Structure formats: structure tokens, C-alpha cells
Amino acid sequence: DRGLPDLTIANVTPRKLPAQGLKAASWLVAVEVRNNGDAAAEVPVTIRSGALTTTERLRIMARSSASTRIVFEGTPDEVIVNDGSVPELGAATHTKQLVMR
């Protein structure tokens, strides 16, 4: 269907942020999503680690890419783009596992 987005996770770049005062160290996770489809989409981007979850919405125009940066309080384990709520040409959920060192 030419009226659906076709999303992929293009790049994920986590960066550790130093602790400040009484606040523990956190992570800044940059997520770039590519849309090869012919329709724009606004999809949830979720960072997850055990019971911790942070989600933001990202709008991606047709035939382009967009990125977001999310501050995450724990050590991120995985990034999930789309939770199946937005119809797509291919897969409805995209997951990337992160290995932190």
C-alpha cells in the first residue's frame, strides 16, 4: 500500500551523562528513524531497562528520517520504535538491543 510508512531504526547512540549533586548518572539516547514509505507517521519511541520505561512521540515525514534525544534515568537495554499502534508497510514493531559497556 503506497499510503503507509515503512520504518526502520537507522541509528541508536547512547551516551552516559555524569551524576550531578544527589542525582545519579543517566543516559542520553539519540534515536534516528528512517521512513522509506510514502506516508508520514507519528510513532512512539520507547527506551526500556527492566521496569524503567520512557516514551516520546516522533514525527517522520515520508521518504526521510528524523531523530530524537531522550534522557533516560537507568542504563538502557533496548529501543522500541512503534508499538503496533501505527500501521506500517512491513513490520509493526522495531526493536534494537543495546549493549552498554
Side-chain angles (χ1 to χ4, degrees):
D1 186 354
R2 294 190 54 155
L4 293 174
D6 185 15
L7 305 174
T8 56
I9 298 174
N11 193 21
V12 177
T13 307
R15 183 172 63 108
K16 190 170 186 175
L17 300 173
Q20 293 183 353
L22 298 175
K23 195 172 186 181
S26 57
W27 289 80
L28 179 66
V29 182
V31 180
E32 180 184 4
V33 180
R34 174 87 186 138
N35 181 0
N36 291 318
D38 292 322
E42 186 173 316
V43 295
V45 177
T46 302
I47 310 295
R48 188 180 292 172
S49 176
L52 296 175
T53 301
T54 300
T55 301
E56 291 188 10
R57 308 264 323 158
L58 179 63
R59 183 161 175 80
I60 310 140
M61 300 307 293
R63 302 272 174 213
S64 67
S65 62
S67 62
T68 185
R69 291 182 285 181
I70 301 171
V71 176
F72 190 72
E73 298 300 321
T75 302
D77 289 333
E78 70 179 349
V79 174
I80 302 167
V81 172
N82 199 0
D83 55 6
S85 62
V86 177
E88 288 188 56
L89 192 58
T93 304
H94 309 276
T95 304
K96 178 155 178 114
Q97 299 295 323
L98 303 176
V99 178
M100 310 314 297
R101 294 182 190 144

